Amino acid sequence: MAARGEEEDVMARYRSPLVSRYASAEMAYNFSERKKFGTWRRLWLYLAQAEKSLGLSITDEQIQEMEANLDNIDFKMAAEEEKKLRHDVMAHVHTFAQCCPKAAAIIHLGATSCYVGDNTDLIVLRDGFNLLLPKLARVISRLADFAEKYADMPALGFTHYQPAQLTTVGKRCCLWIQDLCMDLQNLERARDDLRFRGVKGTTGTQASFLQLFEGDHSKVEELDRLVTAKAGFKRAYMVTGQTYSRKVDIGVLAVLASLGASIHKICTDIRLLANLKEIEEPFEKDQIGSSAMPYKRNPMRSERCCSLARHLMTLVMDPLQTAAVQWFERTLDDSANRRICLAEAFLTADIILSTLQNVSEGLVVYPKVIERRIRQELPFMATENIIMAMVKAGGNRQDCHEKIRVLSQQAAAVVKQEGGDNDFIARVRADPYFSPIHKQLESLVDPSSFTGRAPQQVAKFLKEEIQPALIPYQSEMGGKIELAL
């Protein structure tokens, strides 16, 4: 009964669907309170270790006590302390000190709140990228397999969503892959460009640490370097205010927004192809497409990606506006906003990548439908080939052009006014004027002769651009995704 009561209590409160319904356990943990406050304690440990190594009066016993209690967090006490103090960092300083009485005097020594707050954010952002990058690489890998399989299959191309020159199913997929490969490079660059805030003090001047080390600038610089290295960063920002520049957050969310745009475009294409019945996303045996229309096979995974991608694309507006209004060395109106937008951006990117991987692993192609659509449109596209063949056979170009104009208009009337099939080639075959090339007609309208270098482009692109880009992620690209919802 108690368990049922707790469950009902949970169901009576709003929970973000990004966590309760969608995102992976790994990404949800990355932005969890446990990860956050556990990282705070590790940062206090790094600071104490570095200060001790540089000569401050900190004992091995104090360090060992801190190490033994890194994950021994009394969250209830911390919440009560924060309610009383109205300060989250000091609440956790007191909570840590409670289980580390010998180290209590040196916890947070010389630091400001942003030492743990901002540095933790940078660690979480870095770790978030490290979770997203293998997922993105897996999606690219799955789509590359699809592109290779269908590299030669002709398909009707579209410009303005109107029939255009033929492409291939695989070549179209390469357009998606190329966008995602750009996103892979952008995410890698954004992650690698992240620096640590380091040990900078209340307004970024390091005055408190200079006082601790009695004016020894070299020790303050070394302290900054040591803590930065302990946190796993190669570099720290050389200058900060109380916080690291909020333009960093713009760069992070901009690349995630760009990823959202790529996935929105891909999944929109898949939704359009599903309407054409050429390609569909996977559809489970017992899946219901509509409560009212049992025959429907809605592209719900692609729709989910588009829906969440729109949210992801809008989030970049938050850090843009936050960075614009940071007065002087900092103002606290960034805090509440960043708690939401940074986490939501990564959680949203995480689920749309997982969903797109699921889609890419189960794409269904309907070759007969694709062939039929080509047959409907290709005869008109072949008119130039027919004219050239007639001229080579001794015909007059202008006479041939007029003949084809008349026959093509007649065929178009059958398609548009009568709803019939395109019978242009049959009309050409029945016209004695075209008898010199009747035997060539089949080859003149062979779809493979209208796809240009598409198959060769697919092969070259996958070999020279995609394979090298995926090499760093080879060990992490196994396993299929099955979505619970």
Side-chain angles (χ1 to χ4, degrees):
M1 290 294 291
R4 182 178 177 183
E6 290 176 6
E7 181 180 342
E8 290 177 352
D9 186 46
V10 169
M11 299 306 289
R13 297 194 300 270
Y14 173 79
R15 295 180 298 161
S16 169
L18 290 174
V19 174
S20 65
R21 188 176 179 91
Y22 296 133
S24 68
E26 295 82 5
M27 190 62 79
Y29 174 75
N30 190 51
F31 287 92
S32 69
E33 299 289 88
R34 182 166 293 280
K35 167 79 176 272
K36 175 181 177 179
F37 297 130
T39 304
W40 283 13
R41 290 193 174 189
R42 283 163 176 78
L43 286 168
W44 282 319
L45 173 64
Y46 300 156
L47 180 63
Q49 290 173 328
E51 288 175 335
K52 178 180 181 298
S53 72
L54 291 170
L56 293 190
S57 181
I58 296 173
T59 67
D60 289 338
E61 194 174 20
Q62 288 173 315
I63 296 294
Q64 291 164 5
E65 189 179 53
M66 293 174 73
E67 288 176 331
N69 287 280
L70 291 175
D71 297 309
N72 179 26
I73 303 174
D74 186 338
F75 288 99
K76 183 178 180 181
M77 177 185 174
E80 291 171 352
E81 286 288 317
E82 184 173 355
K83 187 175 182 180
K84 178 174 65 176
L85 301 173
R86 309 300 294 174
H87 198 289
D88 57 350
V89 173
M90 287 309 300
H92 278 270
V93 168
H94 290 185
T95 303
F96 197 17
Q98 182 69 23
C99 56
C100 297
K102 295 175 183 176
I106 56 93
I107 294 172
H108 198 65
L109 181 60
T112 185
S113 298
C114 286
Y115 166 69
V116 289
D118 271 31
N119 282 324
T120 292
D121 286 344
L122 289 161
I123 289 170
V124 168
L125 295 178
R126 178 197 63 193
D127 293 351
F129 279 127
N130 286 335
L131 289 171
L132 291 180
L133 281 162
K135 292 190 174 189
L136 178 52
R138 278 197 295 272
V139 171
I140 293 171
S141 176
R142 304 303 192 264
L143 289 175
D145 291 341
F146 180 87
E148 184 176 35
K149 181 177 180 180
Y150 294 101
D152 299 329
M153 181 179 285
L156 185 64
F158 291 93
T159 59
H160 317 278
Y161 200 37
Q162 301 299 314
Q165 197 172 66
L166 299 194
T167 183
T168 69
V169 173
K171 169 62 191 300
R172 175 178 283 144
C173 183
C174 284
L175 299 179
W176 303 340
I177 296 171
Q178 181 168 251
D179 286 353
L180 293 176
C181 199
M182 292 179 190
D183 293 314
L184 187 75
Q185 294 167 347
N186 289 339
L187 264 64
E188 288 173 340
R189 183 164 52 249
R191 178 199 60 189
D192 295 344
D193 282 349
L194 286 174
R195 300 189 193 185
F196 204 50
R197 177 192 174 273
V199 182
K200 296 298 195 298
T202 54
T203 58
T205 65
Q206 300 177 302
S208 58
F209 298 104
L210 192 62
Q211 185 176 3
L212 280 175
F213 289 104
E214 298 179 346
D216 190 331
H217 290 269
S218 64
K219 285 190 174 182
V220 175
E221 289 186 7
E222 181 64 6
L223 178 70
D224 205 359
R225 189 195 67 78
L226 286 172
V227 174
T228 296
K230 286 177 181 291
F233 286 80
K234 294 179 180 178
R235 298 180 299 170
Y237 296 107
M238 292 185 69
V239 294
T240 72
Q242 189 172 96
T243 68
Y244 68 79
S245 171
R246 294 310 184 218
K247 283 185 72 67
V248 173
D249 296 342
I250 296 173
V252 169
L253 265 63
V255 298
L256 296 180
S258 182
L259 171 65
S262 299
I263 294 178
H264 199 298
K265 183 264 190 294
I266 292 167
C267 290
T268 299
D269 282 357
I270 293 172
R271 291 164 66 189
L272 293 170
L273 289 167
N275 172 261
L276 297 175
K277 298 181 176 58
E278 292 191 7
I279 293 178
E280 288 181 344
E281 66 178 40
F283 196 88
E284 308 300 335
K285 178 177 177 290
D286 297 322
Q287 183 176 331
I288 294 174
S290 168
S291 61
M293 295 166 280
Y295 61 87
K296 292 191 76 179
R297 292 169 63 95
N298 298 335
M300 52 85 74
R301 292 171 175 82
S302 298
E303 290 173 321
R304 178 188 299 171
C305 284
C306 289
S307 182
L308 290 170
R310 285 202 298 274
H311 177 59
L312 178 56
M313 288 186 282
T314 65
L315 288 173
V316 72
M317 290 305 300
D318 276 344
L320 280 168
Q321 296 187 65
T322 295
V325 296
Q326 287 302 289
W327 303 346
F328 303 113
E329 280 64 49
R330 80 90 44 105
T331 177
L332 196 59
D333 65 352
D334 63 336
S335 179
N337 184 287
R338 295 176 70 252
R339 288 175 191 268
I340 299 168
C341 70
L342 296 180
E344 287 203 353
F346 279 88
L347 290 164
T348 305
D350 180 67
I351 184 55
I352 60 177
L353 281 172
S354 294
T355 307
L356 184 57
Q357 181 187 333
N358 176 264
V359 169
S360 63
E361 289 171 347
L363 286 173
V364 181
V365 178
Y366 297 103
K368 295 299 181 184
V369 177
I370 294 173
E371 290 171 11
R372 183 177 184 277
R373 182 154 286 108
I374 289 173
R375 286 197 304 270
Q376 287 290 90
E377 302 293 341
L378 187 59
F380 293 148
M381 298 178 192
T383 55
E384 185 66 19
N385 287 9
I386 293 172
I387 291 174
M388 293 299 100
M390 279 296 295
V391 170
K392 287 180 181 179
N396 178 281
R397 187 194 182 282
Q398 275 57 250
D399 293 341
C400 184
H401 185 280
E402 178 59 20
K403 284 276 189 181
I404 286 180
R405 186 188 70 80
V406 172
L407 295 181
S408 63
Q409 293 292 337
Q410 292 170 351
V414 170
V415 173
K416 295 179 179 179
Q417 297 174 21
E418 301 175 19
D421 291 335
N422 189 327
D423 62 359
F424 173 72
I425 296 300
R427 292 175 183 274
V428 172
R429 197 183 301 280
D431 191 324
Y433 175 81
F434 294 99
S435 58
I437 63 165
H438 280 170
K439 291 181 180 180
Q440 301 178 47
L441 284 177
E442 287 300 322
S443 62
L444 290 174
V445 294
D446 178 5
S448 63
S449 68
F450 288 83
T451 58
R453 298 191 65 254
Q456 291 75 19
Q457 287 179 348
V458 171
K460 186 178 178 67
F461 174 65
L462 296 182
K463 180 180 179 180
E464 296 186 12
E465 291 204 26
I466 301 309
Q467 287 182 5
L470 296 181
I471 286 173
Y473 306 98
Q474 283 181 334
S475 63
E476 302 171 279
M477 289 193 298
K480 288 198 170 187
I481 288 286
E482 293 185 7
L483 299 180
L485 295 170

